[in-house]
Amino acid sequence: MLQEVHVGHKSLADYQSMVVKPLVEEIRELAEALKGMRVLHINATSFGGGVAEILYTLVPLMRDVGLDADWRVIMAAQEFYESTKLMHNALQGNPQGLNKAQQDIYEEQSRLATESLGGGFDFIIVHDPQPLLLRHFAGDLGAKWIWRCHIDTSSPNPELARYMLPFVQLYDAAIFSMDKYVFEGLDIPIKVYMPAIDPLSTKNMVLSPEDADYVVSQFGVEPGPPLLLQVSRFDPWKDPLGVIDAYRLVKKEFASVQLALVGSMATDDPEGWAFFTKTVEHAGDDGDVLILSNLNNVGNLEVNAFQARADVVIQKSIREGFGLTVSEALWKVKPTVGGNVGGIPQQIREGETGFLVDSVDQCAERCMWILDHPEEARNMGRAGKEHVRANFLMPRVLRDYLRLFSELTK
Ligand code: UDP
């Protein structure tokens, strides 16, 4: 089944003062020719993770510029998500792919979901592998179909890539976040667009230091001592265990340092719980380590407060499609330490807008340098914010889609 997600209202005019002027002009011009066209976004979850984050802003902005845009989520049996999580991991390089039974579940559930799709769309944008097969089962329905892959597919499990290729090939275009993620052998129009953040969302709007302190103090963060932070799903690829190890090294030099690991439980991520427990066990009974999730009522505003309060933001991923959390931190002028993978190096320019690391030791070293050099670190944060302003704010993503729609309509 496909379930509608309700989104609030947003207006492009509100973003005008934050992005460069020609961008807004180009959006208005492109939108003029596309007015009234029906656009449907489909993904696997309305909560948790970067795709949902983007769609909550992109869909209302598309509506604001005159498109008839909607968002639906694929709702399927639990085994479907077990199969698609395996796919997700295999696309990011895990050797374990799907067996025949898991493929059958994936295909059957996709077919069932297609039954509630309906018709009359001009563009259908399918995000990530979970709803990929809808195009195969639905036929083209007179729409242009776009597959938007958000994950790091630079070295996928070859067997799984072979299985998926013919399904992707049915699309009118595909979008990847980086050149190196483009599937080998794919022979349809391809675009490389990076994601972006919403500077006006509750997650990214400006919070005063006092408000941020107040919010995080309710979760046990002490106001004085330094705070290291990682915000991400509890997922091995995000390496929260490595973050705890790096924190322990920092703790040897900065005895009062605190660590917060903030991670939501996405509904399409059955592994989340097991890995959450593993992370809690790894932290042991250290009272300066806080492990929080949406189940502790950490919503967007709280994530914002943690990011605003942090002295160092870490995103120590081992694989990463893009890593919206990095742009979120840079936007808040935070010195940021990120794994040198996926889209992180696009956001962190080594030594200029933050630091890139390949190991626990390096991560700890960079955190300590930042704590020792607050002035220099702040300047890095400032450079980071301007880099995000120029490249990673949502109106640019809107422009990218409108450009693609006009190309596909010609
Ligand atoms: N996020 C959140 N609460 C959490 C953990 C993550 O709101 O407890 C958000 C985070 O702020 C970011 C998104 O989820 O906006 C994660 O996107 P990213 O691209 O970093 O990673 P993904 O989860 O898509 O792999």
Side-chain angles (χ1 to χ4, degrees):
M1 180 186 134
L2 291 170
Q3 196 173 59
E4 188 89 34
V5 182
H6 296 282
V7 293
H9 173 78
K10 292 194 189 270
S11 161
L12 182 65
D14 293 338
Y15 295 76
Q16 212 146 335
S17 55
M18 283 185 207
V19 296
V20 292
K21 203 164 161 229
L23 179 62
V24 175
E25 283 163 4
E26 185 184 350
I27 289 171
R28 300 255 182 241
E29 215 166 283
L30 287 163
E32 195 50 44
L34 299 163
K35 274 224 156 65
M37 289 203 170
R38 274 193 80 193
V39 179
L40 177 65
H41 289 269
I42 304 171
N43 82 322
T45 178
S46 61
F47 180 80
V51 180
E53 188 71 24
I54 291 167
L55 293 179
Y56 273 113
T57 298
L58 184 62
V59 172
L61 282 182
M62 282 189 168
R63 287 182 185 168
D64 183 60
V65 298
L67 295 168
D68 183 1
D70 283 302
W71 170 15
R72 291 189 207 161
V73 165
I74 184 166
M75 307 284 282
Q78 185 58 23
E79 302 86 47
F80 171 83
Y81 299 107
E82 282 153 19
S83 294
T84 57
K85 187 67 208 251
L86 275 172
M87 287 178 82
H88 178 107
N89 288 342
L91 284 173
Q92 300 217 109
N94 198 332
Q96 190 191 353
L98 290 190
N99 62 31
K100 179 74 175 75
Q102 288 158 337
Q103 269 180 24
D104 289 347
I105 287 166
Y106 175 55
E107 292 176 15
E108 179 55 12
Q109 293 289 315
S110 304
R111 190 189 62 75
L112 284 174
T114 314
E115 290 174 359
S116 60
L117 184 55
F121 303 104
D122 295 291
F123 301 101
I124 299 177
I125 302 139
V126 170
H127 296 262
D128 279 342
Q130 297 95 331
L132 171 73
L133 267 50
L134 294 189
R135 165 69 186 83
H136 167 75
F137 288 110
D140 77 4
L141 298 174
K144 299 285 183 197
W145 287 71
I146 299 163
W147 187 53
R148 200 324 176 187
C149 179
H150 293 265
I151 53 187
D152 178 347
T153 44
S154 48
S155 46
N157 169 325
E159 207 182 317
L160 188 73
R162 261 197 307 279
Y163 167 70
M164 288 180 64
L165 193 62
F167 296 117
V168 181
Q169 199 59 45
L170 295 173
Y171 281 73
D172 296 288
I175 307 173
F176 294 85
S177 295
M178 295 181 68
D179 282 326
K180 63 180 178 191
Y181 297 170
V182 176
F183 273 38
E184 217 168 286
L186 190 58
D187 186 22
I188 54 175
I190 287 166
K191 299 289 170 190
V192 175
Y193 298 152
M194 275 185 280
I197 61 165
D198 179 353
L200 298 180
S201 65
T202 35
K203 173 155 310 154
N204 296 311
M205 69 188 192
V206 178
L207 276 189
S208 70
E210 293 76 16
D211 286 340
D213 268 346
Y214 177 73
V215 173
V216 300
S217 71
Q218 296 170 32
F219 295 93
V221 175
E222 296 292 333
L227 176 67
L228 312 182
L229 170 72
Q230 175 159 297
V231 175
S232 61
R233 289 178 294 107
F234 289 99
D235 177 325
W237 304 106
K238 309 283 187 182
D239 198 21
L241 307 188
V243 176
I244 294 173
D245 294 339
Y247 150 83
R248 289 198 173 121
L249 294 175
V250 177
K251 189 99 182 150
K252 290 185 181 161
E253 302 288 325
F254 295 83
S256 65
V257 72
Q258 311 169 83
L259 170 67
L261 292 173
V262 176
S264 59
M265 298 293 171
T267 49
D268 66 338
D269 184 1
E271 274 179 355
W273 281 112
F275 202 67
F276 176 78
T277 310
K278 209 168 162 180
T279 309
V280 171
E281 281 168 8
H282 196 71
D285 58 2
D286 184 336
D288 286 331
V289 179
L290 292 167
I291 301 179
L292 301 166
S293 75
N294 49 308
L295 302 173
N296 304 93
N297 275 334
V298 182
N300 287 339
L301 182 77
E302 289 76 13
V303 168
N304 185 343
F306 270 97
Q307 290 168 330
R309 161 63 177 89
D311 296 276
V312 183
V313 177
I314 302 171
Q315 187 55 60
K316 208 199 149 302
S317 306
I318 295 166
R319 282 252 188 234
E320 189 61 77
F322 177 70
L324 284 174
T325 50
V326 173
S327 277
E328 289 165 8
L330 296 177
W331 184 246
K332 298 176 184 95
V333 196
K334 292 296 154 175
T336 305
V337 178
N340 192 6
V341 292
I344 297 180
Q346 304 292 314
Q347 302 169 75
I348 297 184
R349 294 203 188 113
E350 176 63 18
E352 190 189 325
T353 66
F355 291 118
L356 294 167
V357 296
D358 292 303
S359 67
V360 166
D361 285 350
Q362 252 186 333
C363 179
E365 253 171 55
R366 293 313 201 183
C367 290
M368 288 190 277
W369 187 92
I370 289 169
L371 295 179
D372 268 332
H373 300 82
E375 235 348 273
E376 288 97 322
R378 178 109 191 131
N379 286 337
M380 266 187 186
R382 286 196 187 103
K385 176 154 191 156
E386 289 320 305
H387 184 49
V388 172
R389 188 193 307 283
N391 299 289
F392 306 121
L393 295 185
M394 200 63 79
R396 194 264 302 144
V397 171
L398 174 63
R399 192 269 322 267
D400 292 342
Y401 274 104
L402 297 183
R403 275 188 184 169
L404 179 57
F405 293 166
S406 359
E407 269 177 46
L408 291 175
T409 340
K410 267 173 204 152

